[in-house]
């Protein structure tokens, strides 16, 4: 059974960069059938697609976040990562890592990790 | 971006009931529509993709229908484990966008 687990700091300061890692188990991140992505949900608000990456390193980013987002992959560790810069309180959210089937449909989700942006 | 509108935002039902949730897209998305279930503190679970195809392991009590702009998720014979929040997501156009969710309560 495929599992995805997010890890990273739960509290970051405004203007700093958030770095999260997703560790994939029960499957290979190099599987050519899938992308790997990030979705977030601010408390009490809706879900927002952040972006996704292929094992080769090819990426797609939400235009609303593109200037601040970098997603990278480490196939040797079966992990992929999210960096989000210039943080504000509006970036406070639960961040989920996901496996993405063709055409940006999600089949597996991580449980999510709450990241709070506060000084 | 394509706007996704779910209705109702919440509903009350009883064990054994049949419920339907509607999702409307702001433009034609063909069948590029997914549904998933979220319970507090748990990883969301993907239920349906391509409007009506069940993900592996999802019971047939979950049915998706629709195309174009109007879609429906129907759950038959509600069980205690089905009480959760349900979301739709379009992936016809980038970026993928989500409905606001429907909370199914006892």
């Amino acid at each position: 059974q495929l599992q995805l687990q997010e890890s990273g700091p739960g509290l970051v300061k405004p203007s700093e960069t958030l770095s999260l890692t997703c560790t994939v188990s029960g499957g290979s991140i190099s599987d050519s059938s899938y992308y790997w992505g990030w979705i977030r949900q601010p408390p009490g608000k809706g879900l927002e697609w952040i972006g996704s990456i292929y094992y080769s390193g090819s990426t797609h980013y939400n235009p609303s976040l593109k200037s601040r987002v970098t997603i990278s992959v480490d196939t040797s560790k079966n992990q992929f990562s999210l960096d989000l810069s210039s943080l504000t309180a509006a970036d406070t959210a639960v961040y989920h890592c996901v496996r993405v089937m063709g055409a940006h449909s999600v089949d597996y989700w991580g449980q999510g990790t709450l990241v709070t942006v506060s000084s | 971006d394509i706007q996704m509108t779910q209705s109702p935002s919440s509903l009350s039902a009883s064990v054994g009931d049949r419920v339907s949730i509607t999702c409307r897209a702001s433009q034609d998305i063909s069948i590029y529509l997914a549904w998933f279930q979220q319970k507090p503190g748990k990883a969301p679970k993907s239920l349906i993709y391509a409007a009506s195809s069940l993900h592996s392991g999802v019971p047939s009590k979950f049915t998706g229908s629709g195309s174009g702009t109007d879609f429906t998720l129907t759950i038959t014979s509600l069980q205690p484990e089905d009480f959760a929040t349900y979301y739709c997501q379009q992936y016809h156009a980038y970026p993928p966008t989500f409905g606001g969710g429907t909370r199914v309560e006892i």
Side-chain angles (χ1 to χ4, degrees):
Chain A
Q1 178 77 355
L2 188 79
Q3 292 187 321
L4 299 93
Q5 181 65 58
E6 305 88 351
S7 59
L11 179 65
V12 289
K13 290 181 168 56
S15 79
E16 294 189 342
T17 295
L18 165 68
S19 294
L20 295 175
T21 295
C22 182
T23 300
V24 179
S25 58
S28 173
I29 204 167
S30 299
D31 189 325
S32 59
S33 299
Y34 303 102
Y35 272 69
W36 305 89
W38 293 93
I39 294 169
R40 70 179 183 177
Q41 185 172 26
K45 295 187 178 181
L47 291 141
E48 182 177 32
W49 187 278
I50 298 172
S52 60
I53 190 166
Y54 197 53
Y55 75 96
S56 64
S58 174
T59 54
H60 297 282
Y61 296 140
N62 189 328
S64 69
L65 296 168
K66 187 174 183 177
S67 64
R68 301 195 290 131
V69 171
T70 302
I71 299 176
S72 57
V73 63
D74 186 337
T75 55
S76 68
K77 295 182 179 179
N78 227 33
Q79 294 176 334
F80 61 105
S81 298
L82 168 70
D83 287 339
L84 181 64
S85 64
S86 304
L87 294 172
T88 70
D91 295 309
T92 294
V94 174
Y95 287 75
H96 295 277
C97 58
V98 297
R99 190 174 80 169
V100 184
M101 305 191 304
H104 310 292
S105 170
V106 173
D107 61 353
Y108 284 96
W109 298 69
Q111 184 167 340
T113 186
L114 175 62
V115 176
T116 301
V117 180
S118 175
S119 57
Chain B
D1 296 359
I2 295 176
Q3 305 302 312
M4 305 300 293
T5 303
Q6 280 183 244
S7 60
S9 57
S10 67
L11 65 88
S12 295
S14 300
V15 172
D17 282 356
R18 174 180 181 271
V19 300
S20 291
I21 300 167
T22 297
C23 182
R24 175 164 290 176
S26 61
Q27 63 188 72
D28 189 338
I29 60 169
S30 185
I31 60 168
Y32 295 100
L33 191 283
W35 291 97
F36 58 93
Q37 175 194 69
Q38 187 174 31
K39 298 178 183 179
K42 298 289 185 69
K45 179 181 180 181
S46 293
L47 301 175
I48 288 170
Y49 65 99
S52 61
S53 297
L54 290 178
H55 279 286
S56 175
V58 175
S60 59
K61 64 186 302 179
F62 293 96
T63 303
S65 63
S67 65
T69 60
D70 293 313
F71 301 86
T72 302
L73 173 69
T74 299
I75 312 169
T76 58
S77 187
L78 270 175
Q79 296 302 305
E81 61 269 23
D82 300 326
F83 291 93
T85 300
Y86 293 85
Y87 293 91
C88 62
Q89 177 219 337
Q90 70 79 22
Y91 52 100
H92 173 72
Y94 201 84
T97 49
F98 299 85
T102 296
R103 186 173 181 180
V104 178
E105 303 173 309
I106 299 175

